């Protein structure tokens, strides 16, 4: 079966750095997405990786290793507004998007 | 700016009622999707559509049907609502099938079935 694993919850301090991991086992791979979802709201797109390596976008970076079936989202200079759930999703060989259950990130002052 | 809208943010229905959830996108996207989201389970695909009048089952289609009569509109129908269909329902769209495009989401409908 297809599976995506993420930690259920993480806590970090305002101003710090946090890394959210995602491992996947899917039938084929056509790219990996990270989305942010604030409580009660819709997911919004953060990043997309299809090749190995690091993609940087401001305070957020996303890394992919296809051989290891592994990605992480790195958030720097954490702000209170970064408190949200972070969803990892993978396109399989049929371009069907497989979703992880999400990681709830709690930021403390 | 891509916009996906859903007909209701909150909905309360009784068991056995027929429920219609409407979704409209304004970016001429080919693909549209219906998901439900429950705590600890992540997003689960109910149905999707790659073109007008086309529909395909996702992972959990039982108890649901869909309609896509126009490109911009994708409706989810609960034929006879049950309490286990209480959930957050999210509609999404993206430009075309085999692409790297992200999905754009509507604001969601929180449905409660009593």
């Amino acid at each position: 079966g297809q599976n995506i694993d993420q930690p259920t919850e993480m806590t970090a301090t305002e101003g710090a750095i946090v890394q959210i991991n995602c491992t996947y086992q899917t039938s084929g791979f056509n790219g990996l997405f990270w989305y942010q979802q604030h409580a009660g709201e819709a997911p919004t797109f953060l990043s997309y990786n299809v090749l190995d390596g690091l993609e940087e976008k401001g305070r957020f970076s996303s890394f992919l290793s296809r051989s290891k079936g592994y990605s992480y989202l790195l958030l720097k200079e954490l702000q209170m507004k970064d408190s949200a759930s972070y969803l990892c999703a993978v396109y399989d060989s049929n371009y069907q998007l497989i979703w992880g259950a999400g990681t709830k990130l709690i930021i403390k002052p | 700016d891509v916009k996906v809208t859903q007909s209701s943010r909150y909905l309360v229905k009784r068991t056995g009622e027929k429920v219609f959830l409407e979704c409209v996108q304004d970016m001429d996207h080919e693909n549209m999707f219906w998901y439900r989201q429950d705590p600890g389970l992540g997003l689960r695909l109910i149905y999707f559509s790659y073109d007008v009048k086309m529909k395909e089952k996702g992972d959990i289609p039982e108890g649901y049907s869909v309609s896509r009569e126009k490109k911009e509109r994708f409706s989810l129908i609960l034929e006879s609502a049950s309490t286990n269909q209480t959930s957050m329902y999210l509609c999404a769209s993206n430009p075309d099938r085999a692409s790297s495009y992200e999905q754009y989401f509507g604001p969601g409908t929180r449905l409660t079935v009593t």
Side-chain angles (χ1 to χ4, degrees), chain A residues 56-102:
Chain A
E56 296 187 79
K57 204 187 271 189
R59 292 189 299 115
F60 293 7
S61 304
S62 56
F63 171 83
L64 175 68
S65 169
R66 287 172 297 169
S67 62
K68 294 182 178 177
Y70 168 70
S71 173
Y72 67 74
L73 181 69
L74 192 71
L75 291 74
K76 302 176 186 174
E77 301 169 16
L78 286 169
Q79 301 175 10
M80 297 303 293
K81 67 178 182 180
D82 298 329
S83 291
S85 288
Y86 292 86
L87 313 180
C88 175
V90 172
Y91 265 143
D92 69 9
S93 56
N94 294 320
Y95 283 94
Q96 180 146 333
L97 205 51
I98 312 301
W99 293 86

Side-chain angles (χ1 to χ4, degrees), chain A:
Chain A
Q2 308 204 87
N3 193 52
I4 295 182
D5 287 315
Q6 308 177 232
T8 303
E9 188 173 295
M10 299 181 70
T11 302
T13 305
E14 191 177 14
I17 299 172
V18 71
Q19 177 176 311
I20 302 173
N21 295 326
C22 169
T23 57
Y24 62 89
Q25 300 92 38
T26 56
S27 54
F29 178 84
N30 278 305
L32 184 144
F33 293 88
W34 284 97
Y35 280 78
Q36 181 189 59
Q37 186 178 26
H38 285 101
E41 298 182 11
T44 54
F45 169 76
L46 285 178
S47 69
Y48 171 72
N49 294 70
V50 68
L51 299 175
D52 290 350
L54 189 68
E55 295 278 345
E56 296 187 79
K57 204 187 271 189
R59 292 189 299 115
F60 293 7
S61 304
S62 56
F63 171 83
L64 175 68
S65 169
R66 287 172 297 169
S67 62
K68 294 182 178 177
Y70 168 70
S71 173
Y72 67 74
L73 181 69
L74 192 71
L75 291 74
K76 302 176 186 174
E77 301 169 16
L78 286 169
Q79 301 175 10
M80 297 303 293
K81 67 178 182 180
D82 298 329
S83 291
S85 288
Y86 292 86
L87 313 180
C88 175
V90 172
Y91 265 143
D92 69 9
S93 56
N94 294 320
Y95 283 94
Q96 180 146 333
L97 205 51
I98 312 301
W99 293 86
T103 299
K104 184 178 181 180
L105 178 64
I106 299 167
I107 309 295
K108 295 187 174 179

Side-chain angles (χ1 to χ4, degrees), chain A residues 33 35 37 40 42-43 45 48 91 95-97 99-101, chain B residues 9 35 37 40 42-43 59 94 99-103 105-106:
Chain A
F33 293 88
Y35 280 78
Q37 186 178 26
F45 169 76
Y48 171 72
Y91 265 143
Y95 283 94
Q96 180 146 333
L97 205 51
W99 293 86
Chain B
R9 289 300 302 272
Y35 293 95
Q37 186 176 33
L43 289 161
D59 300 318
N94 75 353
S99 72
S100 62
Y101 288 105
E102 70 267 29
Q103 293 184 9
F105 285 85

